[in-house]
Amino acid sequence: MKIKSLTARPILDSRGQWTVEATITLKNGVRATASVPQGKSTGASEAVALPAIAVVRNINNIIGPKLRNKEFEDQAALDAFLNELDGTFTKKKLGANAILAASVAFLRATALAKDIPLWRLIRANSGITVSSYGALAHPRLFINVVNGGLHAGNNLDFQEYLIIPKCRTIKESVEVGVAMYRGLGEALAQAKGRGAKNLGDEGGYAPNFKDNLEPFHILRAVAKKLKLTKKVDFGMDAAATDIKKADSKRLRATYEKLIKQYGLIYIEDPFGEEDFLSFAALNMHFGKKVRIAGDDLMTTNVRRMERAHAEGSVNAVIIKPNQIGSVTETLDAVRTARKYGWAVIVSHRSGETNDSFVADFAYGVGADGLKLGAPARGERIAKYNRLLEIEQNGK
Ligand code: PGA
Ligand code: ZN
């Protein structure tokens, strides 16, 4: 894979903020682009994303010229080269967003040059055996239907109320997800007026609620009405680092109530990003039936995953490529999670582009889940449609 050129330009994300799109051209004429999403409730230990303007400059003036006429044996070689060029642990010199854009563009170009689907190349690179999937042969959809916290202007402390269809195919999961999402919209409009259907950052509804539990109360009624109770599980991302005046004791009591009353199977970031111990206590108590996942806690960073493992903090991990900043390191994180026996949930960010890379990545590594927002707004729909395409055509 000999590189002819790598260039970048600024593009907008789904919040109208600048991010970066990189385009790579190989000597053999193959061309591919990749763009990078951006979080809002970011973890403090994420690799450093620089402003788009600096990233575009770094790609056009530093990374691009260094890659010109270079040949790389594989993805790992390219990513190692980029990391060395940056030379810092946090990628603060060139920007994790610059490195990831280059990394994904190269991966995509490689898939095109080899004429294989992107997810298949990811699977080949991952070295992860498909048998580690579990019973379902595709990632379950983690659909964020009610937005709160930093992703909405309402009164919810928790950031994401998730529905997780339990279906044999992606197509059926999407159908169940869409039916629930529409049903919820109608129920909210009826209970709270039409304004209740306005959307938050990830396409979920974002009205005010009586309390942090009410969304699940309504969701359960919607599932019952649509006769989908057996086809959908519930979960949440508390994103607790961003909850004002968070109190771990009170939070813990709320989770107990939610698990008992609504049968939640998944809780992400239940406590602040340094509170490994409260995570561990919750995991110890409920870990057999509930997935306790770390996002800001571990930020797709193997070193933080090691600590969470040593302390018994989680039994699941959120995987976000832009938290660590290269394809190879993201694959390392997945491999580490599998070694620990954790569930793997790949995730988009709240500020997205139309790039559907995470859909290929989730499918490729045989993730247990893909967190992809509500079935609304183009940047979320791009991931749904890509998963459907993979299932339908295998490519
Ligand atoms: P972010 O939120 O993309 O704004 O960081 C997503 C999440 O916390 O899972
Ligand atoms: Zn999260």
Side-chain angles (χ1 to χ4, degrees):
M1 296 298 146
K2 198 162 186 181
I3 295 172
K4 186 172 167 209
S5 68
L6 174 79
T7 57
R9 68 184 184 106
I11 65 164
L12 292 171
D13 76 4
S14 55
R15 277 188 285 251
Q17 282 166 356
W18 293 109
T19 182
V20 62
E21 180 190 81
T23 298
I24 196 165
T25 308
L26 302 180
K27 272 277 189 246
N28 61 13
V30 166
R31 218 175 132 96
T33 66
S35 58
V36 177
Q38 326 196 76
K40 195 182 221 176
S41 66
T42 49
S45 53
E46 291 190 24
V48 175
L50 293 178
I53 220 179
V55 167
V56 168
R57 205 179 340 139
N58 288 348
I59 291 178
N60 287 336
N61 300 346
I62 302 173
I63 303 176
K66 286 274 187 211
L67 291 184
R68 200 169 297 144
N69 292 323
K70 280 242 158 49
E71 195 164 357
F72 295 95
E73 203 177 314
D74 56 19
Q75 187 69 32
L78 180 270
D79 290 336
F81 180 86
L82 293 173
N83 265 320
E84 209 162 296
L85 192 60
D86 178 88
T88 69
F89 274 124
T90 55
K91 301 187 174 63
K92 67 179 178 202
K93 189 164 156 231
L94 297 172
N97 35 356
I99 293 175
L100 183 65
S103 180
V104 174
F106 181 79
L107 185 76
R108 206 167 251 149
T110 307
L112 284 170
K114 294 185 173 201
D115 196 24
I116 54 172
L118 184 55
W119 69 266
R120 228 181 241 294
L121 178 61
I122 291 165
R123 185 162 294 179
N125 281 352
S126 75
I128 295 155
T129 52
V130 176
S131 60
S132 54
Y133 276 34
L136 302 168
H138 61 82
R140 289 181 75 179
L141 307 185
F142 285 54
I143 303 176
N144 180 6
V145 291
V146 174
N147 295 179
L150 292 185
H151 291 171
N154 60 8
N155 64 346
L156 290 174
D157 290 318
F158 300 140
Q159 183 177 280
E160 302 172 14
Y161 291 76
L162 303 162
I163 56 170
I164 310 162
K166 199 168 24 179
C167 304
R168 281 204 358 266
T169 63
I170 290 169
K171 173 108 184 300
E172 198 194 340
S173 306
V174 171
E175 280 163 0
V176 167
V178 167
M180 282 293 298
Y181 179 66
R182 287 217 194 101
L184 175 63
E186 280 161 30
L188 289 173
Q190 239 169 37
K192 298 171 189 286
R194 290 189 55 74
K197 286 175 84 172
N198 292 344
L199 305 183
D201 285 8
E202 294 189 353
Y205 303 112
N208 284 326
F209 285 89
K210 280 185 210 141
D211 54 34
N212 289 320
L213 277 61
E214 195 195 7
F216 286 120
H217 191 74
I218 298 175
L219 275 169
R220 188 170 59 184
V222 171
K224 211 167 160 193
K225 186 173 164 203
L226 297 175
K227 299 194 169 54
L228 289 175
T229 307
K230 289 216 171 73
K231 296 227 155 154
V232 64
D233 287 319
F234 297 140
M236 64 183 288
D237 179 4
T241 305
D242 295 304
I243 298 177
K244 286 195 197 81
K245 297 195 203 119
D247 172 276
S248 346
K249 267 211 189 100
R250 268 217 325 265
L251 284 171
R252 161 74 186 249
T254 306
Y255 301 136
E256 294 216 29
K257 206 164 162 183
L258 283 169
I259 292 166
K260 285 201 181 103
Q261 280 184 15
Y262 302 105
L264 264 56
I265 63 150
Y266 176 84
I267 304 181
E268 178 182 330
D269 280 352
F271 305 101
E273 64 195 340
E274 294 302 331
D275 197 354
F276 288 80
L277 283 180
S278 294
F279 269 80
L282 191 70
N283 191 29
M284 173 99 92
H285 203 88
F286 292 106
K288 281 218 169 69
K289 55 177 188 175
V290 183
R291 287 293 180 184
I292 308 297
D295 171 14
D296 294 350
L297 183 80
M298 297 179 286
T299 60
T300 318
N301 180 318
V302 169
R303 260 175 289 163
R304 289 187 68 95
M305 290 170 72
E306 275 165 13
R307 175 156 175 218
H309 179 248
E311 303 205 15
S313 304
V314 300
N315 59 12
V317 62
I318 279 284
I319 297 287
K320 292 171 171 168
N322 81 322
Q323 282 181 327
I324 191 70
S326 76
V327 171
T328 301
E329 287 159 288
T330 312
L331 288 172
D332 284 346
V334 173
R335 242 188 311 269
T336 302
R338 290 304 187 198
K339 188 175 77 190
Y340 296 156
W342 295 350
V344 169
I345 294 102
V346 175
S347 171
H348 67 161
R349 300 308 299 250
S350 56
E352 266 295 337
T353 72
N354 289 348
D355 193 315
S356 56
F357 176 67
V358 284
D360 280 87
F361 193 86
Y363 199 89
V365 302
D368 300 272
L370 173 62
K371 203 159 75 125
L372 74 183
R377 308 178 25 144
E379 77 282 1
R380 313 295 148 188
I381 292 300
K383 283 70 170 172
Y384 282 84
N385 285 341
R386 177 61 189 140
L387 273 185
L388 287 167
E389 185 182 26
I390 294 173
E391 183 175 81
Q392 270 158 25
N393 303 335
K395 58 185 183 195

